[in-house]
């Protein structure tokens, strides 16, 4: 194998594929990245038995071939190399990397031990990459990070005609986002559960392209794929029943407040400074065109701040976990945020329109 | 509390040069020598052992304690200066009561199998295998056998233990195939990796929730 590739392209490709490398690979070869050189370029692939990532890189291929080398090491080297063409040559059982005056030799791992990547499923439709990326981030924030209930670490993706609905909840908050897409079959009706972490990673990196294709295998295969022109990811779906989240969404509200999102974020960040523990609540009192934020009480440090806010309906005092409140506020892209309440013990809804809702469970109010 | 020199002779020899230390002599004969730091004693002698006190002025120090056990290990404490010498009767020790012990977790989980899965049934607690009992034997919603090992802290050795049980249980044609669940309040990443690699499901247990303690935090569901 002998190839020449631009440093920046190799570095981008390495850092993208190696993000899915397992931290503790049970099969040593899975810590590797598979480099395949064929006519017209090369591809880099990683696979942790759950998620496979593959990227195409333009390169001059003098001699085709396939090698597996340590992914982490290759990514670190590629990133540190000077901005010049990199020459990769397989010499015996070692891969040599030359760039400018630097040269590296990497031991290779047996290619035949590298597992076969899962077959990429059939394309089901496409959607704008950047919007998809934003939507994933808005939902992934509410997915559970501990796996007491494995289904809650997932993001539910519902494909109904030309609408995709994504939802995630960790039992303290629920994020729901709707967006339009272009399905190949407009009568599509599928619901799948994708690992939140995987999807969030993907959203950040695949979203740079213009258009992302979504692919689904038949229900038995349990695979979902995402691809942009030169990158593709396929991951195993989660099993289990996602809770019926629609019944959690309040049907009406007693109090609706609208305020400047940035200002509210800044206020929450300031007031939360006195919250000694992560679980110390921040109290919000909505009344007469203002909201009063307070945290801390008694002998401990305390803080309060008021903010202009248009309030309609009954005044309300409600307490939240400040981090969860910030997560919600930061997930809303608009200048204004609407907060809707029913009761101090019932969930509040943060939104900026019909397409995104962030449902947040309040905390018990202390005295 | 005394400034002392400690010499140990037995399976190995050890010497602690002159310094201030805390010497604890317990009613059952246990003797411990502590420094100002660390939770572990610098030197100790477990009972049964005998203490003989040599008369002052006989050697360099003011007082010499010789502690000998049955194996003829000898601990010699040469006391140069006594800083403080106190004696108290502490009375009976009620013993350590651990919260969240495995037995209680097992009991709670056996009562309510819901965290394991919907429609699960308990076969029995302490299900016997030739190498010791497995914490819970259950049938999942499809009637398949599942062995559950419960730990407070889930570490590698717990996974190994469950693996051994599963291997033996799977030899029983009436039970096989037996799946495994490794349940703990906290599961170490290494243990999780090993369990996953062996096809054992990991489950994090919420002790407060199992006990039905009202959580301070409100939940959506």
């Amino acid at each position: 194998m002998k190839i020449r590739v631009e440093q920046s392209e190799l570095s981008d490709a390495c850092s993208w594929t190696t993000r899915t490398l397992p931290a503790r690979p049970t099969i040593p070869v899975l810590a590797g990245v598979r480099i395949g050189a064929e006519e017209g370029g090369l591809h880099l692939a990683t696979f942790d038995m759950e998620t496979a990532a593959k990227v195409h890189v333009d390169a001059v291929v003098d001699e085709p071939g396939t090698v597996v080398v340590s992914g982490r090491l290759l990514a670190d080297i590629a990133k540190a190399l000077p901005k010049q063409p990199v020459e990769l040559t397989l010499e015996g059982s070692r891969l040599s990397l030359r760039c400018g005056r630097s040269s590296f030799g990497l031991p290779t791992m047996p290619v035949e031990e590298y597992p076969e990547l899962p077959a990429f499923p059939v394309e089901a439709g496409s959607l704008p990459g950047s919007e998809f990326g934003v939507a994933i981030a808005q939902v992934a924030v509410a997915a559970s990070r501990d796996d007491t209930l494995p289904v809650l670490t997932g993001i539910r993706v519902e494909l109904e005609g030309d609408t995709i609905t994504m939802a995630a909840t960790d039992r303290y908050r629920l994020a729901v986002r709707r967006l339009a897409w272009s399905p190949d079959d407009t009568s599509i009706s599928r619901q799948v559960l994708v690992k939140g972490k995987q999807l969030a990673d993907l959203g950040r990196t695949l979203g740079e392209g213009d258009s992302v294709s979504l692919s689904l295998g038949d229900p038995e295969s349990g695979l979902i794929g995402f691809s942009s022109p030169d990158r593709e990811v396929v991951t195993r779906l989660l099993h289990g029943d996602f809770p019926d989240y629609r019944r959690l969404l309040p049907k009406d509200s007693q109090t609706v407040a609208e305020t400047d999102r940035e200002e509210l974020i800044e206020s929450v960040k300031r007031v939360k400074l006195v919250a000694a523990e992560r679980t110390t609540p921040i109290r919000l009192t909505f009344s007469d065109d203002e909201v009063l934020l307070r945290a801390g009480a008694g002998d401990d440090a305390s803080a309060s701040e008021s903010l202009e806010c248009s309030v309609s309906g009954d005044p309300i005092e409600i307490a939240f976990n400040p981090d969860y409140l910030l997560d919600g506020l930061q997930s809303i892209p608009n200048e204004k945020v609407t907060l809707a309440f029913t009761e101090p013990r019932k969930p509040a809804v943060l939104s900026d329109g019909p397409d995104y809702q962030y449902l947040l469970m309040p905390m018990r109010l202390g005295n | 509390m005394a400034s002392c020199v400690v010499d140990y002779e037995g399976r190995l020899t050890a010497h602690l040069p002159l310094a201030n230390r805390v010497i604890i002599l317990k009613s059952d004969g246990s003797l411990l020598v502590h420094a100002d730091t660390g939770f572990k004693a610098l030197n100790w002698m477990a009972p049964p052992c005998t203490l003989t006190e040599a008369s002052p002025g006989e050697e360099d120090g003011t007082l010499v304690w010789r502690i000998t056990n049955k194996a003829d290990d000898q601990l010699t404490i040469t006391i140069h200066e006594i800083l403080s010498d106190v004696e108290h009767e502490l009375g009976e020790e009620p013993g350590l009561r651990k919260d969240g012990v495995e037995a209680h977790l097992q009991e709670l989980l056996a009562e309510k199998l819901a965290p394991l899965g919907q429609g699960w049934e308990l076969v029995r607690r302490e299900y016997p295998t030739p190498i010791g009992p497995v914490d819970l034997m259950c049938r999942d919603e499809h009637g398949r056998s599942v062995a559950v090992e419960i730990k407070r802290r889930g570490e590698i050795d717990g996974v190994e233990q469950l693996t051994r049980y599963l291997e033996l249980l799977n030899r029983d044609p009436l039970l096989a195939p037996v799946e495994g669940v490794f349940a703990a309040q906290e599961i170490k990443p290494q243990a999780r990796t090993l369990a996953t690699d062996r096809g054992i499901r990991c489950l994090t247990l919420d002790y407060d929730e199992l006990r039905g303690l009202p959580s301070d935090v409100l939940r959506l569901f």
Side-chain angles (χ1 to χ4, degrees), chain A residues 185-207:
Chain A
D185 172 9
T186 48
S187 66
I188 189 166
S189 172
R190 287 280 296 272
Q191 297 83 36
V192 295
L193 195 58
V194 190
K195 274 204 176 148
K197 194 182 161 295
Q198 258 82 345
L199 200 55
D201 259 2
L202 238 149
R204 270 200 299 275
T205 54
L206 208 59

Side-chain angles (χ1 to χ4, degrees), chain B residues 22 33 41 70 82 117 122 125 129 134 147-148 151 171 173 185 218:
Chain B
V22 178
V33 182
K70 277 187 174 163
I82 297 172
L122 180 70
R125 285 171 63 183
T129 81
V134 64
V148 185
K151 294 279 177 213
R171 290 183 198 167
Q185 270 185 289
L218 300 167

Side-chain angles (χ1 to χ4, degrees), chain A residues 61-255:
Chain A
V61 177
D62 293 335
E63 216 177 285
T66 307
V67 293
V68 178
V69 293
S70 160
R72 209 70 68 215
L73 193 55
L74 183 71
D76 287 346
I77 293 171
K79 201 165 133 194
L81 286 174
K83 287 191 175 28
Q84 285 173 34
V86 186
E87 199 178 87
L88 299 169
T89 322
L90 181 65
E91 291 166 354
S93 66
R94 292 175 77 81
L95 179 72
S96 100
L97 250 102
R98 282 188 205 91
C99 178
R101 292 177 171 213
S102 310
S103 116
F104 292 86
L106 302 181
T108 60
M109 295 191 250
V111 176
E112 60 280 5
E113 276 180 28
Y114 202 84
E116 185 104 12
L117 300 192
F120 204 76
V122 191
E123 184 176 328
S126 63
L127 62 168
S130 49
E131 195 189 341
F132 187 43
V134 171
I136 291 172
Q138 285 180 306
V139 175
V141 70
S144 174
R145 276 155 196 77
D146 77 65
D147 49 7
T148 314
L149 286 171
V151 289
L152 298 187
T153 62
I155 294 178
R156 180 169 163 100
V157 181
E158 300 171 348
L159 310 165
E160 295 288 344
D162 56 8
T163 307
I164 295 184
T165 309
M166 293 195 284
T169 176
D170 62 2
R171 299 198 283 180
Y172 304 107
R173 55 255 173 93
L174 161 74
V176 185
R177 168 73 201 250
R178 267 175 291 275
L179 73 161
W181 74 312
S182 321
D184 291 353
D185 172 9
T186 48
S187 66
I188 189 166
S189 172
R190 287 280 296 272
Q191 297 83 36
V192 295
L193 195 58
V194 190
K195 274 204 176 148
K197 194 182 161 295
Q198 258 82 345
L199 200 55
D201 259 2
L202 238 149
R204 270 200 299 275
T205 54
L206 208 59
E208 291 150 18
D210 297 334
S211 167
V212 169
S213 300
L214 193 156
S215 308
L216 270 179
D218 50 82
E220 291 86 59
S221 78
L223 294 172
I224 189 166
F226 300 92
S227 57
S228 63
D230 52 7
R231 292 174 177 189
E232 57 182 55
V233 178
V234 52
T235 186
R236 235 173 267 291
L237 295 169
L238 279 175
H239 292 289
D241 295 323
F242 195 75
D244 177 16
Y245 66 89
R246 285 196 166 83
R247 67 177 174 80
L248 300 171
L249 298 167
K251 283 174 189 64
D252 44 28
S253 54
Q254 301 297 318
T255 311

Side-chain angles (χ1 to χ4, degrees), chain A residues 24 26 147-148 152 169 171-174 243 247-248 344-345 347 359-364, chain B residues 115 189-190 192-194 197 201-206 209 214-221:
Chain A
R24 295 181 181 79
T26 47
D147 49 7
T148 314
L152 298 187
T169 176
R171 299 198 283 180
Y172 304 107
R173 55 255 173 93
L174 161 74
R247 67 177 174 80
L248 300 171
R345 293 271 180 102
L359 195 64
L360 177 58
M361 199 64 197
M363 294 175 83
R364 273 178 227 278
Chain B
Q190 291 94 330
R192 185 180 295 277
T193 305
L194 184 67
D197 186 52
R201 177 156 75 96
C202 289
L203 177 73
T204 317
L205 300 173
D206 185 335
E209 191 176 309
S215 168
D216 226 18
V217 187
L218 300 167
R219 283 207 195 115
L220 285 165
F221 56 94

